[in-house]
Amino acid sequence: MNLDGRAVFYSAGRALTLAHISGGPAISAFMFATGIENSIPTIRGGTLRVDQMESCGHYLHWRKDFDLVEEMGIRYLRYGPPLHTTLLGDGRYDWEFADVTFADLRRRDIVPIVDLCHFGVPDWIGNFQNPDFPEIFSRYASAFARRFPWVQVYTPVNEMFICAQFSAKYGWWNEEGTTDQTFVTALKHLVKANVRAMQEILKVRADAIFIQSESSEYFHAENPAAIGPAEIENSKRFLSLDLNYGHRVDSAMYEYLRDSGMTQDEYHFFLGNSLAHHCILGNDYYWTNEHRVSASGATRASGEIFGYCEITRQYYQRYRLPVMHTETNIAEGPNGDEAVNWLWKEWANVLRVRNDGVPTVGFTWYSLTDQMDWDTALREPNMRVHPVGLYDLNREIRAVGRSYQQLIQDWGVVLPTQSVCLAVPIVLPSEHEEPASERQRSDARKLRSVELAADAGGTSS
């Protein structure tokens, strides 16, 4: 179907403009990306904050880090300002660090995929049990979008499911909750914050694109008595994206949500505010994403069994959205080639799922540099280097960095998307003020007004 000379496709019952046929801004055929992690959870009863940008030296070496992104040949960077030092109070912001870093990204013509909330909130908010968090965060997202109107691509809240699980079910971070009630409370607040942020950003930038970065999981029953518990976990893994995309949960999950404190009105908020048609399904995969489930419901890591390709197909079949592999890594081990081998395995999986007909628009090695203390999931401040970066913390390239650099060179010019209808209409920072980009924003504003009118008329899904 064609609308005013643009190709469109349908998702969640609505038309989403994705690509100019002619006369538009540069169209991204495939997004090779990396990230600079801005995790900021608290541990030890909220008395200690774990700040990855600080422990990995980014505050001191941000210019060098951006040099490395360019050296790698990467145009797309998952990046965001530290929430705990930027959001000083409701409606009060300190943009000093964001101003200098985002100005430099714009100068370099690097497209930021802006990560606004990564596993933590400022002390004055408390934690994810706070019901005020979604609206406070939505105002922050709006303020960011107004200050940086050239930014188009966002991950408002990173890994909503993992954040709720680690903070409010496993008892590791932030509120350190361990009940279904605390988990569901954190989850509904995180997802509502994400939805409300998307709504507010679209008021500023109607052609904004949202790339979810969510963990893709699978739970394997280790014996027949574990089939039931495994089925429950395999339904629960979809909860954050079901709510985010307005996808009706199954009856067991609906009962679980209601029994754990979600009201009917809260559930219907998600059904009535789906913005899936503005989204790319970003999914993360690590060797820890698959689990063995016992008859008691206890889980443990199984290692890679199905792999990224099979699990991604499951998520795609559920949501029918374009896919981007938004995170993967593995530690460089004693042989020195462990991360290189994992990179090529993940890349082979991306090509396989793409060749099987899943619209796949990007791949990410996460992160740019080594991380700190992720071997214990940030639960212990050991200041132990986790060697998963394209570069080490001295900013020296690792073997996987050289391999990724070569992969991008080899595949970047020969890997078009399957169809012009599925190219992502990214406006480069340098193109923001060009007439074609303004036409795209103008058309997106008109389309958004039609969507809002349809919602007001009761025709939303």
Side-chain angles (χ1 to χ4, degrees), residues 82-99:
L83 183 63
H84 66 304
T85 57
T86 307
L87 179 54
L88 303 182
D90 192 359
R92 295 176 50 236
Y93 315 109
D94 180 350
W95 298 115
E96 182 179 4
F97 186 68
D99 281 344

Side-chain angles (χ1 to χ4, degrees), residues 117 121 125 127-128 130-138 189-190 193:
C117 177
V121 293
I125 290 178
N127 53 54
F128 296 109
N130 187 342
D132 296 329
F133 167 63
E135 293 305 319
I136 293 170
F137 182 71
S138 73
H189 292 162
L190 283 157

Side-chain angles (χ1 to χ4, degrees), residues 93-304:
Y93 315 109
D94 180 350
W95 298 115
E96 182 179 4
F97 186 68
D99 281 344
V100 295
T101 53
F102 277 85
D104 200 49
L105 289 174
R106 187 178 189 183
R107 179 185 64 79
R108 297 170 188 259
D109 217 17
I110 293 172
V111 176
I113 303 170
V114 179
D115 189 342
L116 291 176
C117 177
H118 203 125
F119 296 151
V121 293
D123 290 338
W124 62 270
I125 290 178
N127 53 54
F128 296 109
Q129 301 298 298
N130 187 342
D132 296 329
F133 167 63
E135 293 305 319
I136 293 170
F137 182 71
S138 73
R139 288 188 283 273
Y140 170 70
S142 175
F144 179 92
R146 292 194 307 272
R147 192 169 188 90
F148 303 100
W150 58 272
V151 171
Q152 181 187 16
V153 191
Y154 290 85
T155 300
V157 180
N158 172 75
E159 284 193 342
M160 297 171 283
F161 180 82
I162 293 300
C163 187
Q165 194 171 50
F166 287 13
S167 299
K169 184 60 175 175
Y170 291 174
W172 292 353
W173 300 338
N174 301 309
E175 53 262 54
E176 298 177 18
T178 57
T179 69
D180 290 330
Q181 179 91 23
T182 54
F183 169 74
V184 170
T185 299
L187 186 69
K188 69 185 181 183
H189 292 162
L190 283 157
V191 182
K192 185 175 183 180
N194 194 69
V195 172
R196 288 288 296 116
M198 291 192 292
Q199 291 174 330
E200 293 301 315
I201 291 167
L202 285 169
K203 292 177 182 178
V204 180
R205 184 76 192 254
D207 66 335
I209 296 168
F210 304 105
I211 303 177
Q212 273 64 58
S213 178
E214 187 57 279
S215 184
S216 51
E217 309 271 325
Y218 193 83
F219 296 83
H220 304 272
E222 63 181 18
N223 55 54
I227 292 174
E231 288 178 345
I232 292 294
E233 294 301 323
N234 279 322
S235 292
K236 196 179 293 183
R237 64 182 168 140
F238 292 123
L239 281 177
S240 64
L241 293 177
D242 280 353
L243 296 175
N244 188 68
Y245 295 144
H247 186 284
R248 292 184 182 274
V249 302
D250 64 34
S251 58
M253 286 299 100
Y254 182 71
E255 290 184 5
Y256 171 74
L257 291 172
R258 292 300 306 276
D259 290 345
S260 302
M262 181 178 284
T263 67
Q264 187 177 59
D265 286 346
E266 287 172 331
Y267 178 64
H268 280 273
F269 167 83
F270 297 111
L271 294 185
N273 288 278
S274 172
L275 291 169
H277 48 296
H278 290 274
C279 295
I280 291 169
L281 172 58
N283 64 334
D284 307 342
Y285 184 81
Y286 299 91
W287 74 271
T288 54
N289 283 36
E290 297 186 55
H291 317 267
R292 290 175 62 178
V293 184
S294 70
S296 70
T299 63
R300 56 190 171 117
S302 66
E304 183 187 26

Side-chain angles (χ1 to χ4, degrees), residues 30 32 304 307-310 313 325 328 340-356 360 363 407 411:
F30 198 87
F32 288 101
E304 183 187 26
Y308 176 80
C309 181
E310 171 58 27
R313 274 196 290 263
H325 193 337
T328 196
V340 171
N341 292 337
W342 182 261
L343 168 67
W344 286 104
K345 179 184 286 189
E346 287 301 288
W347 179 243
N349 271 261
V350 167
L351 292 178
R352 180 70 268 162
V353 76
R354 179 182 177 277
N355 291 339
D356 285 346
T360 305
F363 175 78
L407 187 155
W411 289 92

